[in-house]
Amino acid sequence: MASSPGSNASLSGQKIVLSESSQAKKSQYSEEETFYMNCRAAYLAVFKSSLENIKSKEQLCLVLQQAGRNPSQKVIHKYWTPQTTALNFDDFCNILKKEKPATETELLKAFLKVDVNNDGYILHTELHKILTTRGEKMTVEEVNAITKLADVNSNGKLYYNKFCKLYTTTNEQCRKTALDKLEDNSRLRRQQFGSHVETSSQSAASSISKPSSRTTRKIDHKTAPKRGDNRTSRPSSAQNCKASISSSIIMGTINNTNSELIEPNTLKDWQCAQSKGCFFLEEDGEIITHKYRLYLPQRSTVYITIKPLNLSQLEGKTSLWLSTDTALYVLKENESQENLQLMGFTEVRNKEMFKWKGELGSGIYWLIPFTTGCRLKKIKNQITGEAKLVYRDEDGELALTKEFKAALSDIFEIIDLDGNGLVSLEEYNFFELRTSGEKCDEEAWAVCKENFDTKKNELTRQGFMDLHLMEANDREGDTSDLWLTLLSLGYNKALEMTEACPFVIDIYAEKCKPKIKAIYLEAGSRQLNKAICKSVVNKGDAKVLDNGESIIVYTYKSDTRITSVIENKSENKVVIHVNNEQSKNCVNNRGLNIFAVEVAPKSMMICQHVMPLNEQEEWIYNCVHSLFP
């Protein structure tokens, strides 16, 4: 009872598709806006501003309750781990997308499992026993609080039909009270702008520290055209704003081969380390990926590449994810993991490969893969039918279908991070964390080795297949759990990987043997956001938005993407309206042509990433940033 049924279900992220009719667009935008307002209302019922952070588990529980949720301790611990020090408004919005409130029907089903006689009530003694001994155990005081509710209790019995109605009504009342408070307060209502109508891990409007140093640059005070590729325009939507600037860049078709960075002639003589990994798309649009630690025993010139992994190459097919953009940020670890220095990132392209070359000293580096989210995003196409995963052979025995075997073979290829044709316990645990959220310990791994084919203490491809066949047998042919695994790895019901992008990283060092190791599987970190901001500030063009030179928009342009960063040097938060309506043949990571973002005082944030919709055609980036009064 403490853990609400369905509380861990995910809320599918809605995105506006440009090809939809205007009426459908209007309807969907309204749905997104309503969700965002409810997030705001709940947050501002607890905090004075959406720029304040959640700083404790108790605050997280309280703000979730204001949003009409009744989080269990399991849910709280899911988002507030021992490493968590704070959660911001972006994090809160993402949590609400994943944790939808339990419905009255779901609650009734849970009670009916206990009330086997269908009496319509549960005795208090039985309720105490269940809630204090099973699942997430409640305290006696918490159970007594339930049995003291006069509306649902009588003569030592809890009438659960009434309780379920009271439960859902109370949750809805909490949400409505917070929303009414927002509507009645004009000051709070003006705060309803933000980056959360459409959010990805790479674009979260979290407050990040200003880089400690950067190259001094000339600021374009008058936003004048530059080198013939910038031009100024001012759509009517900016007229009500205090100040606005326009950036317009005309880009040609993308040349798949960029000769700026030439592969060293002696590369075949350099020592190489390789690791694979994957970008996984969450239900709310957040992107999860592997993070790596690189060790160089001595100073050396290094050559680093990252590219999508084409698993279907031998079949003569093109993998669906090959058009996904990839990048790798190289950060130097100094005194701690919190003190990382940006060394460079892969920005030069050769077909699907992105690369970087530079001189690195001895020591530990962090390699953080990145994709903008412009192309790796939720797919709306409905799949008719469902691929078969198992069948019964002539002897009536369960067997895996050819299609499922092919998918499992590709999955094995992805989780075999070091590419040795075997899966170690460490590699298998990345798979387990992604699919079940748990790890396999040494004892369980020993049992696995006893039952399935292994080699050198590692699981073979056949052993991996047999493990899934055993799972199907254990459930007598029920493939529900197998589908949960496939869906978490980015597959759709047609057994196509549409919401994941496997990749491969190669590290070449001229003078030493590099060592690379996958350490984490997690969403975009503060360090990644900080590195992206710093790279844009260092390499992009800068324009001042206000007369006081306190709001600066930096725009970084490469052949394949444009990224903008907003810096707020003032002592006050600012709201920036962003309008991309005049852009042509462009797609951005937010999924909206018009949105607004809040920027905290003395901070900078990623505004958006933009890429061409069709690389074979010219694309025009035309964005107006406007400062709200």
Side-chain angles (χ1 to χ4, degrees):
M1 284 300 297
S3 182
S4 303
S7 62
N8 290 326
S10 298
L11 176 66
S12 297
Q14 303 279 334
K15 293 185 184 293
I16 295 175
V17 180
L18 296 176
S19 61
E20 292 178 344
S21 67
S22 59
Q23 184 61 37
K25 282 186 182 180
K26 182 178 179 181
S27 174
Q28 190 150 346
Y29 182 81
S30 175
E31 186 175 344
E32 293 285 354
E33 193 173 41
T34 300
F35 168 77
Y36 176 58
M37 280 189 65
N38 285 327
C39 292
R40 283 262 170 199
Y43 208 82
L44 295 174
V46 178
F47 301 102
K48 293 181 180 179
S49 166
S50 63
L51 296 176
E52 289 188 38
N53 285 337
I54 300 169
K55 296 181 180 179
S56 68
K57 289 186 289 186
E58 292 72 23
Q59 285 184 340
L60 175 60
C61 183
L62 182 59
V63 75
L64 285 173
Q65 288 171 341
Q66 290 294 333
R69 310 304 194 261
N70 187 32
S72 66
Q73 285 302 306
K74 182 179 179 181
V75 170
I76 295 297
H77 291 146
K78 177 181 176 181
Y79 299 104
W80 194 278
T81 67
Q83 291 75 38
T84 306
T85 57
L87 296 171
N88 60 25
F89 180 66
D90 287 297
D91 300 321
F92 174 66
C93 290
N94 288 331
I95 291 172
L96 285 191
K97 286 181 179 179
K98 297 174 184 177
E99 306 295 337
K100 64 179 182 180
T103 66
E104 186 175 338
T105 302
E106 289 170 333
L107 289 170
L108 284 171
K109 284 182 179 180
F111 276 108
L112 285 169
K113 289 181 180 179
V114 179
D115 180 19
V116 292
N117 297 324
N118 200 21
D119 296 323
Y121 63 81
I122 297 174
L123 295 174
H124 288 180
T125 52
E126 188 178 1
L127 186 67
H128 272 82
K129 182 179 179 181
I130 293 171
L131 297 184
T132 58
T133 60
R134 296 185 190 177
E136 186 179 317
K137 302 176 184 63
M138 296 177 67
T139 65
V140 174
E141 291 76 15
E142 288 173 330
V143 179
N144 287 339
I146 295 175
T147 57
K148 286 179 181 178
L149 295 171
D151 293 341
V152 299
N153 289 283
S154 178
N155 298 323
K157 303 172 184 177
L158 180 135
Y159 290 85
Y160 54 81
N161 281 283
K162 292 181 179 179
F163 177 79
C164 292
K165 289 183 182 296
L166 179 64
Y167 177 93
T168 53
T169 301
T170 302
N171 282 354
E172 178 61 21
Q173 188 59 46
C174 285
R175 188 194 65 79
K176 189 176 183 301
T177 300
L179 195 59
D180 289 343
K181 179 182 177 183
L182 180 68
E183 288 296 318
D184 292 341
N185 191 315
S186 60
R187 179 186 64 81
L188 292 179
R189 195 163 60 245
R190 286 196 299 271
Q191 294 184 25
Q192 288 174 14
F193 299 96
S195 63
H196 320 285
V197 174
E198 191 69 53
T199 304
S200 76
S201 60
Q202 284 76 20
S203 66
S206 56
S207 304
I208 71 166
S209 300
K210 178 180 175 181
S212 56
S213 63
R214 67 168 187 266
T215 305
T216 304
R217 62 184 61 255
K218 179 180 179 181
I219 302 296
D220 185 359
H221 293 272
K222 298 181 181 179
T223 66
K226 189 175 182 179
R227 291 196 208 104
D229 66 350
N230 289 348
R231 61 190 182 191
T232 302
S233 65
R234 189 183 179 95
S236 59
S237 59
Q239 291 177 358
N240 294 328
C241 299
K242 221 163 40 169
S244 67
I245 58 171
S246 174
S247 298
S248 185
I249 305 172
I250 301 176
M251 306 290 289
T253 58
I254 291 181
N255 181 1
N256 283 330
T257 302
N258 192 317
S259 59
E260 287 182 28
L261 185 62
I262 300 174
E263 181 179 300
N265 293 328
T266 59
L267 190 64
K268 65 180 185 301
D269 299 322
W270 292 21
Q271 298 191 67
C272 179
Q274 185 185 86
S275 184
K276 286 177 281 187
C278 196
F279 296 110
F280 297 110
L281 192 62
E282 295 280 67
E283 282 296 320
D284 61 357
E286 190 175 46
I287 296 174
I288 307 292
T289 189
H290 296 79
K291 309 289 176 62
Y292 305 84
R293 181 180 284 160
L294 170 68
Y295 173 67
L296 289 177
Q298 70 180 80
R299 175 174 290 278
S300 176
T301 301
V302 297
Y303 180 75
I304 299 175
T305 67
I306 181 172
K307 65 177 180 180
L309 184 63
N310 188 2
L311 297 174
S312 303
Q313 190 171 10
L314 296 178
E315 303 174 21
K317 297 180 181 178
T318 300
S319 298
L320 297 175
W321 55 85
L322 282 182
S323 63
T324 300
D325 57 291
T326 59
L328 195 66
Y329 283 78
V330 183
L331 307 175
K332 176 73 165 64
E333 183 175 307
N334 294 317
E335 297 175 358
S336 69
Q337 292 184 24
E338 293 299 314
N339 184 20
L340 302 182
Q341 177 187 357
L342 175 64
M343 306 303 295
F345 64 101
T346 55
E347 57 180 328
V348 178
R349 180 183 182 186
N350 184 354
K351 297 183 179 178
E352 294 91 16
M353 179 186 292
F354 285 82
K355 47 194 179 178
W356 176 81
K357 185 176 77 171
E359 186 87 9
L360 295 178
S362 62
I364 296 174
Y365 296 83
W366 284 90
L367 304 180
I368 307 182
F370 164 70
T371 184
T372 60
C374 293
R375 292 178 178 164
L376 182 60
K377 53 178 58 181
K378 301 300 292 183
I379 303 296
K380 283 193 170 184
N381 296 339
Q382 295 295 321
I383 303 298
T384 56
E386 182 179 292
K388 284 191 67 175
L389 303 184
V390 298
Y391 69 98
R392 294 199 177 272
D393 61 19
E394 296 176 353
D395 299 324
E397 298 293 327
L398 276 177
L400 305 181
T401 63
K402 180 182 177 181
E403 294 76 17
F404 187 32
K405 281 184 177 180
L408 287 175
S409 182
D410 282 350
I411 293 169
F412 185 88
E413 196 69 32
I414 294 169
I415 65 176
D416 174 21
L417 299 180
D418 60 11
N420 70 344
L422 301 167
V423 168
S424 66
L425 172 58
E426 193 171 23
E427 290 170 330
Y428 183 76
N429 272 332
F430 280 115
F431 167 76
E432 278 293 308
L433 283 171
R434 178 60 194 163
T435 57
S436 70
E438 299 177 352
K439 278 190 173 185
C440 175
D441 57 24
E442 292 284 353
E443 185 177 346
W445 187 246
V447 174
C448 183
K449 290 192 296 178
E450 289 176 6
N451 291 275
F452 305 107
D453 186 40
T454 58
K455 190 176 181 180
K456 298 178 182 178
N457 200 35
E458 296 185 319
L459 192 64
T460 66
R461 192 182 302 263
Q462 186 58 51
F464 187 69
M465 300 275 189
D466 292 340
L467 187 153
H468 286 82
L469 178 58
M470 183 205 71
E471 186 175 349
N473 274 302
D474 285 348
R475 288 155 181 77
E476 299 179 343
D478 183 356
T479 58
S480 301
D481 287 347
L482 295 176
W483 273 116
L484 287 176
T485 295
L486 290 166
L487 293 172
S488 68
L489 294 173
Y491 282 85
N492 62 20
K493 289 291 186 174
L495 277 183
E496 300 168 323
M497 185 184 284
T498 56
E499 295 184 357
C501 173
F503 55 79
V504 59
I505 298 169
D506 287 290
I507 313 291
Y508 298 87
E510 184 180 22
K511 297 180 180 179
C512 61
K513 175 66 176 177
K515 295 181 180 180
I516 181 174
K517 183 178 181 181
I519 305 296
Y520 301 116
L521 182 63
E522 62 181 14
S525 63
R526 175 178 173 274
Q527 291 291 356
L528 175 60
N529 282 335
K530 187 175 180 180
I532 294 172
C533 284
K534 188 166 186 179
S535 67
V536 172
V537 168
N538 286 343
K539 294 200 168 192
D541 292 327
K543 291 183 179 180
V544 174
L545 182 55
D546 63 336
N547 294 328
E549 301 183 13
S550 59
I551 314 299
I552 303 172
V553 178
Y554 299 92
T555 305
Y556 163 79
K557 177 191 74 171
S558 71
D559 288 342
T560 56
R561 72 171 162 104
I562 292 172
T563 297
S564 62
V565 165
I566 301 173
E567 181 177 17
N568 177 14
K569 294 182 177 181
S570 74
E571 301 289 343
N572 304 305
K573 69 174 182 182
V574 294
V575 176
I576 308 297
H577 182 275
V578 183
N579 189 323
N580 294 304
E581 284 186 311
Q582 302 302 312
S583 293
K584 304 294 183 183
N585 188 31
C586 287
V587 58
N588 67 51
N589 64 304
R590 294 183 177 273
L592 295 171
N593 279 331
I594 301 175
F595 56 92
V597 293
E598 283 183 351
V599 190
K602 300 292 184 181
S603 71
M604 62 175 65
M605 59 163 285
I606 301 165
C607 179
Q608 65 176 337
H609 305 288
V610 179
M611 296 187 70
L613 196 60
N614 184 345
E615 292 191 354
Q616 307 307 314
E617 298 178 3
E618 177 185 80
W619 52 298
I620 300 175
Y621 170 79
N622 193 319
C623 181
V624 179
H625 294 84
S626 307
L627 179 64
F628 268 84

